[in-house]
Amino acid sequence: ETGVTQTPRHLVMGMTNKKSLKCEQHLGHNAMYWYKQSAKKPLELMFVYSLEERVENNSVPSRFSPECPNSSHLFLHLHTLQPEDSALYLCASSQASDRENSPLHFGNGTRLTVT
Amino acid sequence: QKEVEQDPGPLSVPEGAIVSLNCTYSNSAFQYFMWYRQYSRKGPELLMYTYSSGNKEDGRFTAQVDKSSKYISLFIRDSQPSDSATYLCATKRDSSYKLIFGSGTRLLVRP
């Protein structure tokens, strides 16, 4: 398995459900990201973890809760979502150093539909 | 004003044409510039990565950055139907984790 793998590929959930998105990277990178992609809008950065520490939290509602147990795995826990949260959720990784970050490598995303 | 502006298209060209995709940005502190290609139902895939101004060529693709006018371009020579996808420009400041994306241009190359 190579690259960045996201599961599940598709998820339909009700507003009262709790679910989790999973991301795993096999590139040896030390930084991981969650992005949200909605139709006709630019990708929005949600969270960044570097060396398993959250370094950026981009004013995301608390119904989204990230978790990074190690440098290869990233989760996004979801609860009491709203229909407007329906989108493609993309995970990415990069190699971060004190000087610069390498470009992001993305997974294929989880298509989330909130009913 | 958006930090990165990109025409959404769609842009339709015949096979073999030279394609020019463009973005403008507002912050002169941006130093790194990237182009990603995204096929339907897939994640963005890195095409080109440049630092500061100038040109970078990779096969049929050329990325160009003009920092004086805050303008970035991607040229595709001898375009193929397999180039049909959405192209996203992106940029960031030095030592920042935050990559700022344009909204993407949808390209269709007709056989």
Side-chain angles (χ1 to χ4, degrees):
Chain A
E1 188 93 50
T2 58
V4 180
T5 304
Q6 289 187 244
T7 54
R9 289 298 311 276
H10 302 274
L11 178 63
V12 179
M13 59 186 288
M15 289 191 282
T16 57
N17 291 161
K18 286 185 182 181
K19 295 284 184 184
S20 295
L21 311 185
K22 179 183 174 184
C23 177
E24 184 173 358
Q25 60 97 0
H26 306 271
L27 299 168
H29 289 162
N30 60 8
M32 296 187 79
Y33 307 70
W34 281 116
Y35 274 85
K36 176 183 178 183
Q37 188 174 35
S38 305
K40 297 191 172 122
K41 289 174 70 174
L43 271 74
E44 300 170 54
L45 178 64
M46 300 175 73
F47 302 104
V48 183
Y49 277 82
S50 180
L51 299 171
E52 297 134 50
E53 197 174 309
R54 195 189 308 181
V55 296
E56 190 129 359
N57 179 350
N58 225 32
S59 303
V60 178
S62 59
R63 57 186 184 269
F64 295 91
S65 174
E67 179 191 359
C68 188
N70 56 60
S71 60
S72 299
H73 293 87
L74 185 66
F75 295 89
L76 188 63
H77 304 298
L78 316 171
H79 65 98
T80 58
L81 294 192
Q82 305 298 311
E84 60 265 27
D85 297 322
S86 299
L88 182 67
Y89 288 85
L90 290 161
C91 174
S93 69
S94 73
Q95 186 62 25
S97 68
D98 288 340
R99 293 185 60 198
E100 65 161 286
N101 304 330
S102 67
L104 269 59
H105 292 260
F106 286 89
N108 285 325
T110 294
R111 172 68 63 187
L112 174 67
T113 304
V114 181
T115 60
Chain B
Q1 183 190 5
K2 289 182 188 173
E3 289 187 278
V4 178
E5 298 271 5
Q6 186 175 9
D7 187 331
L11 177 62
S12 180
V13 301
E15 183 175 353
I18 296 174
V19 175
S20 172
L21 303 166
N22 308 292
C23 290
T24 58
Y25 63 94
S26 57
N27 190 337
S28 57
F30 291 144
Q31 296 282 357
Y32 295 90
F33 304 92
M34 282 141 269
W35 283 96
Y36 284 84
R37 177 175 61 195
Q38 187 172 20
Y39 291 115
S40 181
R41 298 189 185 88
K42 297 281 191 181
E45 167 196 11
L46 180 68
L47 271 181
M48 302 289 278
Y49 176 57
T50 55
Y51 175 74
S52 197
S53 279
N55 291 4
K56 184 173 183 179
E57 191 173 318
D58 185 1
R60 296 184 296 112
F61 298 90
T62 300
Q64 198 170 78
V65 176
D66 182 348
K67 293 194 75 182
S68 62
S69 57
K70 299 191 184 70
Y71 199 80
I72 53 180
S73 302
L74 178 71
F75 299 97
I76 307 175
R77 287 184 300 282
D78 187 26
S79 55
Q80 303 294 309
S82 58
D83 295 327
S84 298
T86 297
Y87 289 80
L88 307 166
C89 61
T91 180
K92 74 178 191 76
R93 288 189 298 272
D94 208 358
S95 301
S96 170
Y97 287 98
K98 188 170 182 177
L99 199 54
I100 312 294
F101 283 87
S103 52
T105 299
R106 195 156 66 89
L107 171 67
L108 174 64
V109 181
R110 307 185 306 272

